[in-house]
Amino acid sequence: MTDPLGRVTLADCPPGPFLFDGTLGFKTEYRAMVQAPWTNPAPTEPHYLTSRWPDAYCMATGEAFWGGTTRHRDRAALLVLPIVLSDDAVRSARVGVMLYRGPGTICPTCFGAAWLVGRRSAQCGGCGTALDLATPQAAEVRP
């Protein structure tokens, strides 16, 4: 269900960030866990099942998002505004992030010294040039 403002129900919202009444939330791709119905004989420990209701959290606190409701069904029916980030927005947000800045590590393209360091490569924070990181074998000194 979509309204004129582009809001959808939490159940129909794609996984990712959303806005609800000034609260920034995050819907996961997982489903909420609910306690299994009582059986006879009663189990010694509570059992939980994956429900059909979405799982969502408040970004500011990490607490479960309920939006003022108390039941899973009511929460799934809340109208939320999905926040879709373009690739350009994600890239521009990374420009200001400097994970490593150190002497002796100069970019061969722009001569910058700020690097976004990953597992296997580092990317220059100024121009985006990617360089492979040295492997432990490359650092060995051989006679």
Side-chain angles (χ1 to χ4, degrees):
M1 175 182 143
T2 304
D3 75 349
L5 299 175
R7 298 178 299 180
V8 297
T9 62
L10 184 60
D12 293 333
C13 182
F18 65 85
L19 193 60
F20 173 78
D21 198 25
T23 300
L24 189 58
F26 185 84
K27 178 183 173 185
T28 70
E29 62 184 359
Y30 305 107
R31 300 292 181 178
M33 300 295 286
V34 295
Q35 191 164 356
W38 184 81
T39 59
N40 193 6
T44 56
E45 296 180 15
H47 288 82
Y48 293 91
L49 301 171
T50 303
S51 73
R52 64 177 181 242
W53 311 117
D55 200 8
Y57 298 92
C58 297
M59 282 193 169
T61 62
E63 297 173 317
F65 169 79
W66 282 95
T69 63
T70 56
R71 298 185 321 175
H72 290 284
R73 181 181 317 134
D74 297 337
R75 181 178 65 162
L78 291 174
L79 289 177
V80 300
L81 181 64
I83 299 174
V84 180
L85 299 175
S86 68
D87 290 339
D88 291 336
V90 172
R91 246 183 264 114
S92 67
R94 288 184 64 197
V95 170
V97 178
M98 289 186 281
L99 298 180
Y100 177 75
R101 185 180 192 109
T105 311
I106 303 297
C107 174
T109 305
C110 71
F111 306 106
W115 295 90
L116 300 167
V117 181
R119 287 185 177 186
R120 297 180 184 212
S121 66
Q123 183 179 4
C124 175
C127 68
T129 298
L131 299 175
D132 289 334
L133 295 176
T135 62
Q137 295 81 12
E140 292 177 12
V141 177
R142 299 185 186 197

